[in-house]
Amino acid sequence: MLVFVSCRQDTKPDVSAIKLEIKISRFDKDVYNGKGKDLMQTNQTLQKTYGPFYDDYIHRMIGTPEYSNEEILKILYQDQAYTDLTHEVDSIFKELNTTEQQLTQAFKYIKYYYPQSKTPKFISFVSGFAVQTPIGDDYMGIGLDMFLGKNSKFYKAIVQSVPVYLSRRFAPEYITPRLTETYAREELFPERDADHSLLSKMIYNGKILYFMDQVLDDQVPDSVKIGYTAAQLEWCKHFEGNIWAYYLENNLLFETDYQKIQVFLSEGPFTPGLGERTESAPKLGLWIGWQIVRKYMQENKSVTLQQLMTEQDTQKILTASKYKPKQEK
């Protein structure tokens, strides 16, 4: 097993010479430590230390511009729910060494492929489930209250607004994959407005997931990358050919009506109309797009990651992939 894992890791480039060490700034601790102290002094300290992130946190994540920073801090410190949630976060995330190591490795690979990319500052925070991985002016935020573990008592209390099929992914092992995905989508490869068809959206999302394959540790499961349960992943693998046949038989690949195609792109507990007893996986367009891109890179070994990510001819990728999964009878 150790030899097998070692061999898998060797398929990635050597990035040991890249000088990068990510440290996560614990804003969640710093802001809570201001409780009971002079509000004006606390505000000035946080403003000086965290700059744009602090402004976004105060006026966009937990408050609004109508209130002053001190007023919002006062309300926050008086909220028992904030205190309880912060204590829970602190008990689970006493330190973030593992996440820092994972992010360091992932962003070394990103630097390897994209040397001009700018590594953001990483800042952890608690927002009362307002936002998970915000990205702003030179920073990426980590909403630790949205990574407490799927069995957290807090998620049971907010199930009306955050259903279980979403909160089951609010676990520590999802932090680095979600940050990597957000960075890829927002900073490196924003989706083009011209991509309207189901096929173009499938390939775009497939490229994002393939990019994650290249920069995340090989031991990160596919289920975590795409956000499936183990059973959903197995369902997709078993019925891959049937899903593809469904797209072809219903002429969906070049469909541009979002009402018709969003069911294959959106989050959900399953995909309506496919599978029995709601056992199907959601986001089947993303899954199939991922497999097409993987097959394309397998069939065209001279194509680099950078060339893949800039290729906008989705029909070319599909044709050159020779993608023809077998159907289950």
Side-chain angles (χ1 to χ4, degrees):
M1 177 64 76
L2 289 174
V3 172
F4 174 69
V5 171
S6 175
C7 289
R8 291 182 65 195
Q9 291 289 2
D10 286 344
T11 63
K12 282 187 162 57
D14 181 3
V15 293
S16 59
I18 295 176
K19 304 302 181 186
L20 178 66
E21 185 178 8
I22 288 175
K23 293 294 182 184
I24 300 170
S25 298
R26 294 299 299 262
F27 175 82
D28 53 306
K29 291 180 178 288
D30 289 346
V31 69
Y32 187 76
N33 287 339
K35 186 176 181 179
K37 299 177 182 176
D38 181 77
L39 288 175
M40 186 173 295
Q41 181 60 49
T42 297
N43 174 62
Q44 290 176 353
T45 300
L46 293 172
Q47 184 77 63
K48 181 179 180 180
T49 305
Y50 292 99
F53 172 81
Y54 179 58
D55 291 335
D56 289 345
Y57 178 80
I58 287 291
H59 295 299
R60 297 174 63 187
M61 298 184 203
I62 66 167
T64 60
E66 295 86 59
Y67 294 90
S68 70
N69 293 5
E70 289 86 355
E71 287 174 324
I72 293 172
L73 285 174
K74 182 179 180 181
I75 294 170
L76 188 67
Y77 291 146
Q78 290 175 342
D79 186 350
Q80 185 60 43
Y82 163 72
T83 297
D84 294 343
L85 186 56
T86 300
H87 286 167
E88 181 75 4
V89 166
D90 201 45
S91 70
I92 293 174
F93 297 105
K94 291 182 174 64
E95 45 78 21
L96 293 170
N97 295 343
T98 299
T99 300
E100 289 172 339
Q101 292 168 6
Q102 293 172 347
L103 285 172
T104 295
Q105 193 68 8
F107 275 81
K108 278 188 176 184
Y109 286 126
I110 292 174
K111 275 286 186 186
Y112 174 85
Y113 290 112
Y114 295 92
Q116 302 306 313
S117 63
K118 188 172 182 180
T119 303
K121 300 171 187 172
F122 289 89
I123 303 171
S124 62
F125 65 95
V126 171
S127 68
F129 319 112
V131 62
Q132 190 179 46
T133 55
I135 188 166
D137 185 8
D138 291 336
Y139 75 76
M140 287 196 74
I142 308 171
L144 293 180
D145 51 328
M146 299 184 77
F147 292 104
L148 296 174
K150 64 180 182 179
N151 296 320
S152 170
K153 61 184 178 183
F154 291 97
Y155 302 149
K156 294 179 175 65
I158 60 170
V159 69
Q160 293 300 320
S161 56
V162 182
V164 173
Y165 70 81
L166 290 178
S167 65
R168 67 168 182 77
R169 305 197 302 249
F170 290 1
E173 64 266 27
Y174 282 86
I175 295 178
T176 299
R178 291 289 70 78
L179 288 168
T180 304
E181 179 183 10
T182 299
Y183 184 81
R185 291 182 183 279
E186 300 295 330
E187 291 295 302
L188 296 179
F189 320 110
E191 187 172 13
R192 300 188 311 161
D193 292 336
D195 292 338
H196 296 303
S197 70
L198 178 59
L199 178 62
S200 65
K201 291 184 178 297
M202 287 167 61
I203 297 299
Y204 169 75
N205 285 286
K207 290 196 292 185
I208 295 294
L209 286 159
Y210 184 83
F211 175 80
M212 292 169 68
D213 286 339
Q214 307 314 304
V215 301
L216 292 175
D217 190 284
D218 285 335
Q219 294 184 55
V220 176
D222 284 355
S223 56
V224 170
K225 292 173 191 169
I226 196 171
Y228 283 168
T229 64
Q232 288 172 337
L233 185 66
E234 287 307 308
W235 185 90
C236 282
K237 290 179 178 179
H238 187 75
F239 291 107
E240 182 178 350
N242 303 68
I243 300 166
W244 181 240
Y246 181 86
Y247 291 152
L248 297 180
E249 291 165 4
N250 291 277
N251 299 313
L252 289 169
L253 292 187
F254 300 101
E255 179 61 65
T256 58
D257 184 340
Y258 190 71
Q259 292 300 316
K260 292 182 180 179
I261 65 176
Q262 61 86 24
V263 68
F264 305 111
L265 304 167
S266 303
E267 295 284 4
F270 57 91
T271 299
L274 287 174
E276 299 178 356
R277 300 184 302 279
T278 67
E279 64 185 4
S280 63
K283 303 185 294 186
L284 293 178
L286 280 68
W287 163 257
I288 295 294
W290 193 9
Q291 307 320 305
I292 292 172
V293 171
R294 281 176 164 176
K295 187 70 162 50
Y296 172 73
M297 295 301 282
Q298 180 183 331
E299 294 288 336
N300 301 272
K301 297 189 183 301
S302 64
V303 175
T304 66
L305 176 64
Q306 296 91 333
Q307 289 171 332
L308 167 70
M309 300 309 291
T310 56
E311 178 60 70
Q312 301 299 337
D313 189 339
T314 55
Q315 182 62 62
K316 174 185 174 181
I317 291 176
L318 175 60
T319 302
S321 73
K322 302 177 183 177
Y323 182 71
K324 292 180 181 178
K326 294 180 180 180
Q327 291 189 62
E328 289 294 323
K329 301 297 184 182

